Amino acid sequence: MVERVGHSPAGSAQDDAHEEVPDREERAARQLIMTLADKPEPTALSAPEDPPAPLPMASAETPPASRDIPQVEVLAPSRALVPQEIGAPRVSAGERLVRIAYAAGIRGRLITSPLSKPAKRRVLATVTPPLPGDRAAGIALRAGHFLVHGVKLPIAQLDFKNGTRMAPPLERAVHSYLWLRDLAGSGARPQVEATALRIHRMWLDAFATPGKGHAWEVEAAGRRLLAWLVHAPLILSNKAVRGRTLAALDKTADWLDSHVTKAPDREAEIHAWAGLVAAGLLLPEGKPRRLYAEAGLARALGDFVGEDGGVQSRSPLSQMDMLELLTELAACYRSMKIEPPKFVGAVSELLVPPLLAVVHGEGGLGNWQGAGAVASERVSELIGASGVRTRPLKEPRGWGYHRAHAGKAVLQFDAAPPPLARYARSGCASTLAFELSSAGQRLIVNCGGAAWAGGQVPARIEQGLRATAAHSTLVLEDVNSTAILIKGKLGAGVGEVEVDRRTVGGTRGGATRIEATHDGYAGRFGLNHKRVLVLREDGTELAGEDVLLPASKRGKRGKVGYAIRFHLGPGILARLSEDRKGAGLALPDGSHWQFRVAGEYTGTLSIEDSLFVDGQGRPQPIQQLVLQGMAPRSGGSFAWLFKKMG
């Protein structure tokens, strides 16, 4: 199987095409306001009165109030959408007009019951939280301090009004109320209520009114709204706080209505749409908001989730975030005894196989695109809560991570370009890097952890963790294969990767062979990098070859420095052989592996220091094997082998 994985040209005419909202539908939407109160309210599962029409889209001539209408057009295949049958829920003609009216700025009560008094503020149902959270972090909260990726902050030191300085991971967790899930999972409700109310009251005192700053970023507000509704009993149990909380729920939802389309990226927008869907379900007079937000959420997911189920950021952390969000949203629907729209379950089913593709033998995640080695317990709990039962992705496209399982060994290979800049948050130049584990022990790893910089991972090394040298692959002249920019973004570099995967046989048994080539160094050095990995079917050998090929028929003169790095897993001790063309590796489980350079190798093999970021965001010292030397610009080849001994 040979395929090319690359970025499609940006800014196509189809992506930017829009249609004008017909005037007759605008008039019909407004006329509908005064008549809906006298009709039975339709539901999303009702039989449509007319064949559903596509949702109108804004154009330059569209009135400003209608430009926020969520678009559910069929997007270009080049944007790697989820299957086209997964879109906004089918609705009746009446519901479609309600959606249009809401998007035009006419709010819920004026649409559903314009002549009646406003409904009493309340949460309509109690949601059964589907996710257990981090029990250790919840117990730490009950003991008096936040614990996020190993960083501690005493609750007593919080002073929101005067702007207590917090590490970035803590700041995101506190304002997004991610801690509420951890607290809820750490004990029975009577044991955790007091702590929840203590922190919540402090937050309301400082941020009850929408404003600026980290607390009122679109993603934080969306996450917070969903967390408040899923864990409402913890923050509504006190009469003195209940009224303020219900008012804050309404204000946050109203603020998101007008700010959701101003999110800085698609991932943030998805969290905002999900919060609005939950508010439409669980707050009074919310059906118009729900219809509006369901269409927006379906469209945003359609853009962010690729056709193979992998998110466009190519980050395992984002993959988990999307699955967590949809799992909690499905629980909100169940609490109201409403069947979730088909796209909620369909996208959840798409998300799990790519996530499983980056799971190692012990169940934890690989260190890709800024992620640390998330522990197996969290991964298994999330997949169990999602209710999706499936196998790892076999044929990745945009997701790009090839997985080979042989014996007790698991190989993960990044055979795709990095994410586009508009999707990257902690984008890494990791093309053609690999990770290898055996019997639950990680043998070859990437450094990882850039997404958690600012906590125990120092912010000053964040860009270094995203560099090509922080991954187990080849580097030319210490230059990244894709440019690393600030704020997690990426620049020019790898644009296309050619992949060939097949099963091969031989006298010593079968093997999985994956070959991939990228063009990230073609512009600067005139060379393409090809890597061939062959994993023996019993999992005891991984043979590899790194090849530098001239990018054009006319090769350049001179030489270029190269380094092929193999970052070793935690606890592995390496020792060079006497001829300095190999190394012995002693693993913590007592097993031994040998590394050898094949052929007449003229460079040097050395052991250098490195670091590895675990699932708690803690950097750990490790070692790395480094093959380095000078290669002619006409090309070169370097073969090597990892073999289990005994």
Short mmCIF file of all heavy atoms in Angstrom, two decimals, residues 30 159 444 481 569:
data_model
loop_
_atom_site.label_atom_id
_atom_site.label_comp_id
_atom_site.label_asym_id
_atom_site.label_seq_id
_atom_site.Cartn_x
_atom_site.Cartn_y
_atom_site.Cartn_z
N ARG A 30 -39.33 35.66 11.75
CA ARG A 30 -39.88 36.66 12.67
C ARG A 30 -41.40 36.47 12.87
O ARG A 30 -41.92 36.68 13.96
CB ARG A 30 -39.56 38.06 12.14
CG ARG A 30 -38.09 38.42 12.38
CD ARG A 30 -37.64 39.63 11.57
NE ARG A 30 -36.31 40.04 11.96
CZ ARG A 30 -35.19 39.43 11.59
NH1 ARG A 30 -35.26 38.36 10.83
NH2 ARG A 30 -34.02 39.86 11.99
N ASP A 159 -6.28 34.55 45.17
CA ASP A 159 -6.86 35.88 45.29
C ASP A 159 -7.21 36.35 43.88
O ASP A 159 -6.45 37.06 43.24
CB ASP A 159 -5.88 36.84 45.96
CG ASP A 159 -6.51 38.21 46.22
OD1 ASP A 159 -7.68 38.41 45.86
OD2 ASP A 159 -5.81 39.09 46.78
N ILE A 444 12.08 2.95 23.07
CA ILE A 444 12.43 4.17 22.36
C ILE A 444 11.25 5.14 22.48
O ILE A 444 10.10 4.75 22.24
CB ILE A 444 12.74 3.90 20.87
CG1 ILE A 444 13.83 2.84 20.74
CG2 ILE A 444 13.14 5.19 20.16
CD1 ILE A 444 15.17 3.25 21.34
N SER A 481 12.93 19.81 10.84
CA SER A 481 12.35 19.43 9.55
C SER A 481 11.15 20.31 9.19
O SER A 481 10.83 20.48 8.01
CB SER A 481 11.94 17.96 9.55
OG SER A 481 11.01 17.69 10.59
N GLY A 569 13.80 4.90 26.83
CA GLY A 569 12.74 4.98 27.82
C GLY A 569 13.27 5.16 29.24
O GLY A 569 14.45 4.91 29.52
#
